[in-house]
Amino acid sequence: MAGVGMPASGLMMATPLQATTHQLHQQQEWVPSLIAKRIASWKYIARVLQGGTVLYNTALVSENEMRQLWSEEKMQRRSLSFFFLGTSLASILEIPNTIDCIKALNQVLQEYESFLAAEARSKSIFSIRKGNTDLKPFEETTEYSHLDVRNMPFNLDYVITASTLCDMVGQVYEKLRLQLLHEHVWPLITLEAFQKVDARFKKILMMVYKEIEAVAREVMVQELNTMDPLGLSASTFNYDDFE
């Protein structure tokens, strides 16, 4: 991705590795290209979250606009989960062996998904049984081997936390790219493990991207309504007419 005008298709639609052994053998050449696209994607989203970058040459979204549309209360749980994942990835970057590193990445992402599922259940329980002091937060009752879960004495800023996580994931892919350059070819066990890791990271990337895109659309609607001499209100404006 050379500039801010990179199309969404180039950012999000990198060709995935296939699941069968035969296809994994044939698609060794896809790995460097896929990793390079992931690095570009994560770093681009990090820059957008930091403000000052035009999203696909359509809308300039500032940090303040993102904070206004992503309320602190709504995004606080997300901020915590992103913080836990980001700090956990930092320690995994120190693992020198490629397969051990990728296995650790897969484990921490599995634990991250388990954490999110348990947090969702915990939130549902608390909403039904408010005031029950016997119920403990999930992070106090579950242990992880790789996910670094801790109690936070203060609230986190979602925009800063999300952009930092994107930068950290970009560093993870950069580490894998350098290791692949050194090793030239990965064995099948490494490719299969990498495929699982990449699929899990892509889910997070797509979620963040779609939320940023929604904010950009809202900013565009507000700008068009401001310029409209007839005073068209946001409630009657249909963005789909411009797609």
Side-chain angles (χ1 to χ4, degrees), residues 76-91:
Q76 189 50 219
R77 284 178 176 265
R78 176 82 63 76
S79 300
L80 281 172
S81 64
F82 277 8
F83 177 80
F84 296 154
L85 179 57
T87 54
S88 303
L89 293 176
S91 61

Side-chain angles (χ1 to χ4, degrees), residues 135-155:
L135 292 175
K136 296 182 179 181
F138 175 74
E139 61 268 24
E140 295 182 3
T141 59
T142 303
E143 295 182 359
Y144 298 103
S145 60
H146 288 81
L147 187 66
D148 182 16
V149 177
R150 66 186 80 173
N151 290 321
M152 298 297 295
F154 52 85
N155 290 338

Side-chain angles (χ1 to χ4, degrees), residues 168-188:
M168 181 62 67
V169 178
Q171 292 183 45
V172 169
Y173 277 96
E174 181 64 29
K175 173 184 173 68
L176 296 177
R177 184 186 71 85
L178 293 175
Q179 289 179 309
L180 180 58
L181 286 175
H182 176 72
E183 299 166 7
H184 303 295
V185 175
W186 281 344
L188 287 180

Side-chain angles (χ1 to χ4, degrees), residues 38-49:
R38 293 291 189 252
I39 292 171
S41 299
W42 284 102
K43 290 186 176 181
Y44 181 74
I45 294 299
R47 291 199 302 273
V48 172
L49 285 166

